[in-house]
Amino acid sequence: MPRTTILIAENTCLIRKGLRAILHNLGNAEILHSVTNKNELYELVNRLKPGILIVNPNMLNFEDEDAKRTFVSAEDMSLVLISGDDSIRRKYKADAFIHYQDNQKDILKLLEEIIEQKSGKDRNTKSNETLSAREQNILKHIALGFTNKEIADQLFISIHTVVTHRKNITHKLGIKSVSGLTVYAILNNLISMDEVK
């Protein structure tokens, strides 16, 4: 399954860098670019065609309440608006909203759900044995050489949950060794060869 590509459009340095750090823990996703310039945003979206655009509404030129319509090639793109103002949720249509006060766990869960929906649309007739977004994320961490405790700490879940996911992953894929899981992760674009230690 191809990686979901993400474009971040936020002019506040702390928020932009914080989002990048959080998204690094997201399985099967790749950050294409971070945009700080409102004029550059539209050109980049139409050229790069990201799967998900995470954007501060101040960087958009709103012509109507459906913010997605302002982009020429947005039919397959999920739009996530970042805001501290709850009126944004009532004012504009988007696929999801991130509030400035949301914690890392909530942001990751929201984006994993979007990726899961996107992969469900792309997957026409695959078996039920495919990995969920969470399992892909854990597989990515396993392939990168993290221990169960390190994975649990990074993803804010219990070690027991990591162990359960590992069992489900090995059962679904029929692969028991870490090296085999690493090869699977590389072949399915969950990680690149350069990331392997």
Side-chain angles (χ1 to χ4, degrees):
M1 177 170 53
R3 285 183 169 193
T4 300
T5 54
I6 300 174
L7 183 67
I8 301 170
E10 171 60 63
N11 46 14
T12 307
C13 179
L14 283 175
I15 296 169
R16 190 173 60 251
K17 290 191 178 205
L19 274 172
R20 284 187 78 94
I22 289 171
L23 296 178
H24 181 71
N25 293 313
L26 197 58
N28 201 26
E30 173 188 2
I31 301 170
L32 292 175
H33 198 46
S34 292
V35 185
T36 58
N37 180 326
K38 188 175 187 174
N39 298 325
E40 183 185 24
L41 172 62
Y42 292 87
E43 185 270 323
L44 278 173
V45 167
N46 291 314
R47 182 166 49 87
L48 298 176
K49 297 178 178 32
I52 300 173
L53 172 62
I54 302 175
V55 62
N56 181 327
N58 296 334
M59 294 189 69
L60 298 174
N61 298 322
F62 286 112
E63 293 162 7
D64 61 33
E65 65 181 30
D66 189 351
K68 216 191 261 193
R69 280 191 226 164
T70 62
F71 298 99
V72 176
S73 62
E75 62 277 349
D76 294 331
M77 179 181 76
S78 295
L79 181 69
V80 180
L81 296 180
I82 314 165
S83 179
D85 183 359
D86 288 330
S87 69
I88 293 293
R89 291 174 189 255
R90 294 186 297 274
K91 195 171 182 182
Y92 301 113
K93 283 188 203 168
D95 296 297
F97 296 87
I98 294 175
H99 194 280
Y100 288 134
Q101 294 179 344
D102 286 349
N103 63 38
Q104 178 172 336
K105 185 177 178 181
D106 292 339
I107 293 170
L108 285 173
K109 183 178 177 193
L110 175 90
L111 293 171
E112 283 175 347
E113 287 171 4
I114 292 172
I115 291 171
E116 187 93 25
Q117 287 175 340
K118 291 179 93 46
S119 65
K121 288 178 188 172
D122 296 340
R123 194 184 323 128
N124 294 337
T125 55
K126 291 210 177 168
S127 73
N128 291 336
E129 295 299 298
T130 56
L131 301 179
S132 69
R134 177 58 95 183
E135 288 169 337
Q136 288 176 15
N137 195 4
I138 288 176
L139 175 56
K140 175 183 171 184
H141 283 79
I142 293 168
L144 292 174
F146 291 102
T147 65
N148 288 347
K149 182 175 181 354
E150 290 169 330
I151 296 169
D153 290 345
Q154 284 193 10
L155 300 180
F156 303 101
I157 57 178
S158 72
I159 293 176
H160 175 73
T161 303
V162 174
V163 171
T164 301
H165 280 303
R166 280 186 90 136
K167 285 179 185 173
N168 292 340
I169 291 165
T170 57
H171 176 73
K172 285 182 177 183
L173 300 179
I175 303 170
K176 293 187 170 131
S177 69
V178 172
S179 58
L181 292 171
T182 303
V183 170
Y184 178 89
I186 292 168
L187 292 174
N188 287 277
N189 297 316
L190 296 176
I191 60 169
S192 67
M193 286 286 288
D194 300 337
E195 294 176 282
V196 179
K197 293 177 184 175

